């Protein structure tokens, strides 16, 4: 209560205004307000009415006046609500309830209404008096993990206010798991001591095993988080983190199987007590005002705000959350492995982040991933300059490694930091002087900002990813001019000629004479913009942002972008075929003894993970870069065909009035305005060139009849089925992978739509567009009007 607070000293800035306010109230009417000059509209919207139960959380008794009076943690401890000597059953219960609080914090609630509702988290010095070393060790491990998570969220810097609450409300959250590498890890030491105490002083049994499982879970999680967030992570750290997370997943299932019932409070009706509703529905299975906890203990530490009811996780829900969290961290270990490897290409990293994003990980796991990728400062990716991963991504040459370019010799815009390494550069120099190669350096130095924006977008939640992808297009467009200048400088051609001369490599010489080095960086930049635009449009389907009548123009624009991207891939593939043919001719002309020697050398370099060497690059039917280009083209080709079929199907349905549209005659339903709302941002890019509403209008207003269009759409879908089956038969897509599931979904969608084309125009049939088989491609569900689906 107020009597517990020390009186505030009246300094020179404090003047009593009681008499002034009392006099003012006699002359004021309802609705008037006395305020200072700095009290603006924002402040008024954030203000509360002191003393109003519905607005002031500090009023005794809560909103209904029935809640127990507020008590400090000291008073609650003195009343016996958090005894130091707990039975094994009670310890298990409190630990699991605290795990539920931790899951609640991960999901966006503040520490004050989640973890620090546990009374044991308030005074760690008091825990020294406990006879069990498990008690202090466990609570200290939770505190350390809180600090580690907050540090990762800060390093990743991709969180939003709706994702995560980093406010500590004045609590001591301890030291992060990585701590000071020169000092021992006290948290881990205490956990290990608790583990030894349980194994050496106890005779065993179910409760001892349950406690031991929880201590070992904390050890595994603590070590995994520590190794993942290290500044100088090694391959051993990455392997250890994965091992510990795998162990933590196993221990979680044992913890789930050994939960204990909430201890009795001595109330005769205790078993009938309703603990309230849990987060995401269901009933709570632990008492938020029971042993070791008080949900209102921190209500007055949050500042003035209206009362609110926080729904914590149940213990069962917490086990589900942490099982998912550990799985997300295991996927983050895949990114960690890439970082340890070092030679990361941007397309490889984006593909991995996109796959992880599809699984919709929580903010904590996303922050760890962002910290792994971007923690080394502005202008760096995975510990290297951003230009390094860009050059590796744009470099399609299989016969020569990327050139070694020192990015530290040129400064553009901001300090880029990092090492300045770019490519292997084995066996050849750039072939030109510093001035001749300056344009390529400028381009590679400028890429950091758009690359940083795009990678942060992929580490954001799905809705933020869509918005950030749209907003970074302007930054990518600014790269086109430097990319063209880099190509026009001839730096890549000179490097390939020098490499070919030094290594007697006809393949590199043939590629230098092709069209690829004359437009390599520009085509890569434009292709990246097309991919970003496709990602933005595709996410709109998943986020359910499109109305049925908009789907036609969405697929029409997506088909155009995919066609543009396929053109760039066709151009690159033609050049790579010239390179491969030159390699095959030179290899055929070599003596057999020389070919066998090159083959052995290539296999040795492949086992050692070394890049470079024409034999290593073209072992088999072609280079890895050529296979990547052809694979992306094949996937885009059937997706483009799918878009064409859907545009034709939806247009035919629209002609016969079977596509739902908003009421006409409103400024908000004007089709041209609707078009600009969806695609206006595309004008940030000069290439791919933005399309206009008139082009779409002319495309869909064809003289063909609906039946003719349905027949044409069916042919599109049949072609998609053929191409997806062909891709599956190649065996290039691992069974059970995310990509295999995506291809299967497209195939199922195409078959269903082909069937719908035969029924959609029949009288008495209604058509509904859903995403039941694929998140981006709609399925036409035909049903009898007012009846069941056919």
């Amino acid at each position: 209560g107020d009597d517990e607070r020390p009186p505030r000293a009246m300094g020179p800035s404090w003047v009593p205004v009681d008499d002034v306010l009392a006099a003012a109230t006699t002359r004021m009417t309802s609705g008037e307000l006395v305020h200072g000059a700095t009290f603006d509209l924002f402040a008024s919207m954030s203000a509360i009415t002191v003393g109003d139960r519905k607005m002031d959380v500090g009023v005794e008794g809560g909103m209904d006046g029935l809640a127990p009076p507020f008590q400090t943690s000291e008073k609650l401890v003195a009343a016996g609500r958090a005894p130091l000597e707990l039975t094994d059953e009670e310890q298990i219960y409190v630990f699991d309830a605290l795990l539920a609080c931790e899951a609640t914090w991960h999901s966006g609630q503040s520490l004050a209404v989640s973890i620090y509702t546990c009374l044991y988290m308030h005074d760690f010095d008091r825990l020294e008096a406990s006879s069990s070393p498990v008690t202090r060790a466990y609570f200290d491990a939770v505190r350390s993990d809180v600090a580690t998570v907050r540090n990762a969220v800060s390093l990743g810097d991709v969180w939003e206010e709706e994702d995560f609450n980093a406010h500590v409300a004045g609590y001591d959250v301890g030291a992060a798991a990585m701590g000071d590498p020169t000092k021992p890890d006290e948290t881990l030491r205490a956990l290990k001591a608790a583990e030894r105490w349980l194994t050496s002083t106890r005779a065993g049994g179910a409760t001892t095993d349950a406690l031991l499982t929880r201590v070992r879970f904390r050890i595994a999680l603590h070590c995994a988080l520590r190794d993942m967030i290290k500044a100088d992570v090694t391959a051993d750290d990455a392997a250890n983190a994965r091992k510990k997370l795998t162990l933590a997943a196993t221990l979680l299932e044992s913890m789930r199987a050994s939960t204990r019932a909430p201890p009795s409070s001595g109330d005769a009706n205790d078993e009938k007590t309703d603990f309230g509703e849990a987060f995401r529905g269901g009933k709570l299975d632990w008492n938020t005002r029971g042993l070791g906890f008080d949900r209102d203990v921190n209500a007055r530490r949050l500042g003035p705000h209206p009362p609110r009811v926080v729904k914590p996780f149940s213990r069962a829900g917490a086990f589900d959350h942490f099982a998912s969290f550990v799985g997300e961290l295991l996927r983050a270990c895949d990114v960690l492995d890439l970082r340890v490897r070092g030679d990361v290409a941007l397309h490889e990293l984006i593909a991995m982040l996109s796959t992880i994003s599809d699984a919709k990980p929580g903010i904590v796991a996303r922050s760890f991933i962002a910290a792994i990728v971007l923690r080394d400062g502005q202008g760096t990716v995975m510990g290297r300059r951003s230009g390094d991963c860009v050059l590796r991504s744009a470099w399609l040459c299989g016969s020569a490694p990327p050139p070694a370019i020192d990015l530290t010799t040129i400064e553009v815009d901001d300090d880029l930091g990092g090492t300045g390494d770019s490519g292997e550069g084995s066996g050849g120099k750039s072939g030109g002087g510093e001035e001749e190669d300056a344009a390529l350096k400028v381009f590679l130095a400028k890429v950091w900002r758009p690359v940083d924006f795009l990678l942060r977008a992929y580490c954001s939640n799905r809705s933020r990813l869509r918005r950030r992808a749209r907003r970074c297009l302007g930054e990518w467009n600014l790269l086109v001019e430097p990319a063209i200048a880099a190509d026009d400088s001839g730096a890549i051609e000179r490097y390939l000629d020098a490499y070919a001369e030094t290594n007697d490599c006809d393949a590199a010489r043939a590629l230098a004479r092709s069209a690829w080095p004359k437009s390599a960086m520009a085509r890569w930049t434009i292709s990246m913009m097309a991919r970003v635009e496709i990602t933005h449009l595709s996410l709109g389907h998943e986020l359910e942002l499109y109305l049925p009548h908009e789907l036609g123009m969405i697929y029409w624009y997506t088909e155009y972008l995919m066609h543009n991207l396929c053109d760039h891939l066709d151009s690159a593939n033609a050049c790579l075929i010239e390179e491969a043919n030159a390699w095959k001719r030179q290899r055929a002309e070599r003596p057999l003894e020389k070919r066998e020697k090159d083959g052995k050398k290539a296999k040795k370099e492949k086992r050692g993970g070394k890049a470079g060497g024409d034999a290593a690059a073209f072992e088999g039917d072609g280079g890895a870069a050529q296979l990547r280009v052809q694979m992306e083209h094949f996937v885009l080709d059937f997706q483009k065909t799918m878009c064409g079929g859907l545009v034709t199907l939806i247009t035919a349905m629209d002609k016969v009035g079977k596509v739902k549209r908003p009421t006409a005659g409103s400024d908000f339903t004007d089709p041209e305005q609707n078009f600009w709302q969806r695609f206006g941002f595309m004008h940030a890019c000069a290439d791919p060139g933005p399309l206009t509403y008139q082009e779409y209008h002319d495309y869909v207003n064809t003289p063909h009849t609906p039946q003719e269009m349905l027949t044409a759409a069916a042919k599109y879908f049949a072609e998609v089925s053929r191409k997806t089956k062909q891709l599956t038969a190649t065996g290039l897509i691992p069974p059970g992978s995310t990509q295999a599931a995506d291809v299967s979904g497209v195939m199922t969608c195409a078959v269903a739509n082909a069937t719908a084309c035969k029924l959609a125009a029949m009288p008495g049939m209604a058509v509904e567009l859903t995403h039941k088989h694929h998140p981006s491609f709609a399925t036409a569900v035909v049903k009898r009007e007012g009846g069941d689906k056919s």
Side-chain angles (χ1 to χ4, degrees):
D2 292 338
D3 58 328
E4 299 168 10
R5 301 180 180 179
R8 177 178 290 168
M10 284 287 186
S13 61
W14 293 94
V15 178
V17 294
D18 302 71
D19 295 338
V20 176
L21 293 178
T25 57
T26 63
R27 310 186 66 172
M28 293 175 64
T29 59
S30 178
E32 291 183 316
L33 176 70
V34 176
H35 62 84
T38 59
F39 189 81
D40 55 13
L41 178 62
F42 177 80
S44 67
M45 296 300 292
S46 306
I48 67 168
T49 302
V50 177
D52 186 336
R53 291 187 184 278
K54 294 183 178 180
M55 297 187 68
D56 186 0
V57 71
V59 175
E60 294 286 356
M63 291 181 64
D64 54 10
L66 302 177
F70 291 113
Q71 296 188 66
T72 63
S73 58
E74 292 81 2
K75 279 195 170 185
L76 291 168
V77 169
R81 290 278 296 277
L84 285 177
E85 302 305 324
L86 297 170
T87 66
D88 289 351
E89 302 278 346
E90 290 172 337
Q91 285 190 81
I92 293 168
Y93 164 78
V94 171
F95 292 167
D96 291 350
L98 184 55
L99 193 73
C101 293
E102 201 171 349
T104 306
W105 179 57
H106 285 184
S107 300
Q109 297 294 344
S110 68
L111 285 169
V113 298
S114 56
I115 292 177
Y116 281 84
T117 61
C118 178
L119 303 176
Y120 291 99
M121 297 294 293
H122 286 252
D123 185 359
F124 276 82
D125 291 337
R126 185 178 76 93
L127 300 181
E128 294 286 359
S130 174
S131 62
S132 170
V134 175
T135 304
R136 179 180 173 88
Y138 190 93
F139 292 124
D140 182 60
V142 173
R143 185 173 64 162
S144 177
D145 288 350
V146 167
T148 305
V149 167
R150 290 185 72 253
N151 186 66
V153 170
S154 177
L155 283 174
D157 195 23
V158 293
W159 63 285
E160 302 287 345
E161 289 184 354
E162 67 266 25
D163 288 330
F164 189 79
N165 192 323
H167 183 53
V168 297
Y171 295 113
D172 175 16
V173 295
M178 55 281 191
D180 185 346
T182 64
K183 297 180 180 179
D185 188 337
E186 292 299 329
T187 299
L188 182 60
R189 183 197 61 77
L191 285 170
K192 291 283 190 180
E195 181 186 28
R196 289 193 298 272
W197 183 80
L198 285 171
T199 54
S200 62
T201 64
R202 296 292 191 93
T207 55
T208 300
D209 291 344
L211 275 178
L212 195 57
T213 298
R214 283 153 178 78
V215 170
R216 286 172 174 169
F217 169 76
R218 279 294 161 189
I219 293 173
L221 186 62
H222 180 86
C223 292
L225 297 183
R226 176 200 63 194
D227 292 338
M228 292 180 70
I229 207 67
K230 280 183 178 178
D232 300 318
V233 65
T234 65
D236 289 341
D237 293 330
N240 187 59
R242 188 182 296 277
K243 179 181 177 182
K244 293 297 184 181
L245 288 171
T246 303
L247 174 61
T250 303
L251 293 170
L252 270 171
E253 294 308 310
S254 299
M255 291 165 62
R256 189 194 300 268
S258 59
T259 55
R260 297 296 188 266
S264 172
S265 63
D267 187 348
N269 297 318
D270 187 67
E271 293 184 1
K272 299 180 181 179
T273 299
D274 184 355
F275 298 141
E277 187 177 348
F279 181 69
R280 293 176 181 164
K283 294 295 183 180
L284 270 180
D285 53 6
W286 61 282
N287 191 349
T288 57
R289 289 194 178 97
L291 176 65
F293 294 87
D294 190 282
R295 65 185 306 164
D296 298 321
V297 67
N298 304 312
R300 292 182 175 177
R301 300 193 66 165
L302 297 173
H305 65 83
R308 58 181 177 179
V309 177
V310 175
K311 296 179 181 178
F313 273 77
S314 64
R315 288 180 293 165
F319 292 131
D320 291 337
H321 168 83
F322 271 88
S324 177
F325 176 54
V326 168
E328 293 165 2
L329 291 180
L330 281 169
R331 286 190 285 272
C333 286
D334 295 336
V335 183
L336 196 62
D337 291 338
L338 277 185
R339 181 186 175 98
V340 170
R341 197 186 76 191
D343 55 340
V344 182
L346 183 62
H347 68 269
E348 184 181 13
L349 178 57
I350 288 178
M352 182 172 289
L353 294 180
S354 178
T355 301
I356 293 173
S357 178
D358 289 342
K360 301 177 183 178
I363 178 58
V364 178
R366 286 189 279 112
S367 295
F368 272 92
I369 293 169
I372 292 168
V373 176
L374 299 166
R375 67 168 297 163
D376 300 284
Q378 186 171 282
T380 60
V381 174
M382 296 292 214
R384 297 191 177 202
R385 284 289 182 94
S386 302
D388 180 81
C389 70
V390 166
L391 183 58
R392 294 178 189 278
S393 183
W395 193 258
L396 300 180
C397 176
S399 56
I405 299 177
D406 184 8
L407 299 179
T408 60
T409 60
I410 184 169
E411 293 184 5
V412 179
D413 295 331
D414 298 290
D415 180 21
L416 300 180
T419 63
D421 298 340
S422 184
E424 283 80 8
S426 56
K429 298 182 179 180
S430 63
E434 290 295 323
E435 293 184 2
E436 292 176 314
D437 294 341
L440 181 57
K441 291 181 180 179
V442 168
F443 169 72
L444 293 175
K446 280 183 175 289
V447 298
W448 78 265
R449 191 185 298 274
V451 167
D452 183 89
F453 284 3
L454 186 58
L455 292 176
R456 289 190 185 280
Y458 273 101
C459 292
S460 304
N461 62 46
R462 303 292 276 176
S463 59
R464 296 285 180 177
L465 165 56
R466 185 175 186 270
R467 188 171 75 175
R468 289 182 174 180
R470 177 177 72 243
R471 289 184 173 180
C472 77
L473 279 175
E475 296 290 341
W476 280 97
N477 189 57
L478 293 176
L479 275 183
V480 175
E481 188 175 335
I484 293 173
D487 294 331
D488 291 345
S489 71
I492 297 177
E493 294 170 82
R494 289 192 297 274
Y495 167 74
L496 290 174
D497 281 335
Y499 184 90
E501 185 68 24
T502 304
N503 296 275
D504 186 24
C505 180
D506 288 351
R509 188 175 293 109
L511 192 60
R513 302 289 177 268
S514 72
W516 177 72
K518 298 175 178 62
S519 60
M521 299 302 149
R523 284 187 178 274
W524 178 85
T525 304
I526 294 168
S527 297
M528 285 299 299
M529 287 192 288
R531 293 183 183 99
V532 171
E533 290 175 327
I534 291 170
T535 297
H536 177 274
L537 294 179
S538 297
L539 281 170
H541 297 285
E542 180 183 327
L543 297 172
E544 300 180 357
L545 300 179
Y546 303 136
L547 294 173
H549 72 283
E550 296 179 301
L551 291 176
M553 64 181 179
I554 297 294
Y555 288 123
W556 173 75
Y557 213 115
T558 304
E559 181 187 15
Y560 159 72
L561 294 172
M562 289 180 172
H563 182 81
N564 182 284
L565 186 50
C566 282
D567 286 345
H568 290 297
L569 294 173
D570 280 334
S571 176
N573 189 51
C575 298
L576 295 180
I577 289 174
E578 293 181 33
E579 179 190 25
N581 289 338
W583 173 80
K584 290 176 182 177
R585 287 193 300 270
Q586 185 178 21
R587 191 169 190 271
E589 293 168 0
R590 289 180 179 178
L592 178 61
E593 182 180 350
K594 174 66 174 172
R595 294 203 302 269
E596 291 176 349
K597 183 178 179 180
D598 286 345
K600 292 178 181 178
K601 180 182 178 182
K603 291 179 180 179
K604 183 178 180 181
E605 289 181 344
K606 188 175 181 181
R607 286 194 301 269
K610 290 182 64 178
D614 57 326
F618 289 105
E619 186 178 5
D621 295 330
Q626 185 178 5
L627 180 61
R628 169 166 66 92
V629 168
Q630 292 175 346
M631 186 70 172
E632 184 178 8
H633 186 283
F634 197 99
V635 172
L636 279 171
D637 190 47
F638 71 69
Q639 290 181 340
K640 174 169 64 87
T641 306
M642 188 72 176
C643 288
L646 285 168
V647 173
T648 308
L649 171 61
I650 293 169
T651 303
M653 292 298 92
D654 198 21
K655 284 193 172 190
V656 295
K658 293 190 177 182
V659 174
K660 293 181 180 179
R661 285 184 169 276
T663 305
S666 167
D667 291 338
F668 298 101
T669 59
D670 178 70
E672 186 170 1
Q673 184 184 46
N674 192 197
F675 182 91
W676 288 113
Q677 287 173 341
R678 293 302 181 194
F679 309 116
F681 73 94
M682 301 287 190
H683 285 259
C685 302
D687 195 348
L691 301 179
T692 65
Y693 172 74
Q694 190 60 47
E695 290 174 284
Y696 170 67
H697 181 271
D698 294 342
Y699 182 88
V700 297
N701 285 276
T702 65
H704 299 292
T705 65
Q707 189 57 55
E708 290 173 338
M709 298 183 75
L710 287 172
T711 302
K715 292 180 179 178
Y716 275 111
F717 297 131
E719 181 67 6
V720 173
S721 297
R722 185 187 68 80
K723 289 179 177 178
T724 50
K725 289 177 181 177
Q726 182 181 349
L727 178 60
T728 304
T730 62
L732 294 174
I733 301 179
S737 65
T738 303
Q739 191 175 13
D742 185 84
V743 172
S744 176
V746 173
M747 184 189 304
T748 304
C749 183
V751 172
N753 284 337
T755 303
C757 288
K758 300 175 183 178
L759 306 173
M762 294 175 61
M765 290 294 185
V767 178
E768 181 184 359
L769 296 170
T770 68
H771 288 84
K772 59 187 296 186
H773 297 307
H774 193 275
S776 299
F777 298 116
T779 301
V781 179
V782 182
K783 57 184 178 181
R784 292 183 177 85
E785 293 181 349
D788 298 329
K789 298 175 185 178
S790 61

